[in-house]
């Protein structure tokens, strides 16, 4: 097997709201979109983030109404404190404060308008 691209697909109620949040606060851009679907990317992200509207008929029946709960969309960043201050200044509520885990990982979290958890991480601390 040869993998040529990677994506994570998340079912949400409002595709436009989640897409706008990633674009405005995290620098993603829409690569493809249609009714109930958007694929966002960044040149340095290594994957696409795909939002699918809950209830979309193209999804298998047992997945249609699922919500992207229990998932953390994590991005490793160079300047964790700088990103924390930037997001605060943009009015983004910090839903988990900056924490340091016993293994050295430092992170904080925000949530998008659909409740998707976005975690910024520094593994080089």
């Amino acid at each position: 097997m040869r993998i040529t691209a990677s994506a994570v697909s998340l079912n949400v109620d409002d595709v436009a709201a989640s897409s706008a949040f990633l674009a405005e606060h995290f620098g993603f851009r829409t690569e493809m979109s249609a009714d109930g679907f958007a694929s966002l990317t960044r040149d340095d992200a290594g994957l696409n983030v795909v939002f699918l509207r809950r209830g979309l008929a193209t999804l298998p029946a047992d997945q249609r109404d699922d919500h992207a709960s229990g998932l953390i969309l994590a991005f490793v960043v160079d300047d964790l404190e700088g990103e924390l201050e930037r997001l605060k200044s943009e009015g983004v509520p910090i839903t988990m404060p900056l924490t340091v885990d016993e293994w050295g990982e430092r992170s904080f979290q925000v949530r998008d308008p659909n409740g998707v958890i976005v975690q910024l991480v520094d593994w080089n601390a």
Side-chain angles (χ1 to χ4, degrees):
M1 172 175 59
R2 183 175 163 274
I3 296 174
T4 60
S6 297
V8 59
S9 293
L10 308 170
N11 293 352
V12 297
D13 290 321
D14 187 341
V15 170
S18 285
S19 297
F21 185 81
L22 276 191
E24 179 179 349
H25 300 295
F26 296 97
F28 278 76
R29 68 181 181 282
T30 301
E31 189 171 66
M32 294 182 282
S33 66
D35 183 36
F37 162 85
S39 178
L40 290 92
T41 191
R42 278 181 57 123
D43 292 338
D44 59 355
L47 82 149
N48 282 27
V49 178
V50 176
F51 293 112
L52 302 170
R53 185 180 60 239
R54 287 178 65 198
L56 202 59
T58 58
L59 292 171
D62 66 339
Q63 296 175 22
R64 258 179 221 147
D65 295 316
D66 288 347
H67 182 270
S69 58
L71 177 133
I72 297 172
L73 188 56
F75 301 118
V76 178
V77 297
D78 292 334
D79 181 9
L80 191 64
E81 285 83 0
E83 293 301 320
L84 178 60
E85 291 310 312
R86 178 185 63 80
L87 288 167
K88 283 181 180 178
S89 74
E90 292 174 0
V92 177
I94 307 305
T95 56
M96 182 185 87
L98 181 61
T99 60
V100 179
D101 292 311
E102 61 188 53
W103 54 88
E105 177 180 294
R106 301 177 328 129
S107 61
F108 70 90
Q109 295 178 350
V110 301
R111 287 184 183 254
D112 86 349
N114 286 291
V116 174
I117 299 168
V118 179
Q119 178 171 298
L120 296 187
V121 180
D122 176 357
W123 289 336
N124 300 319

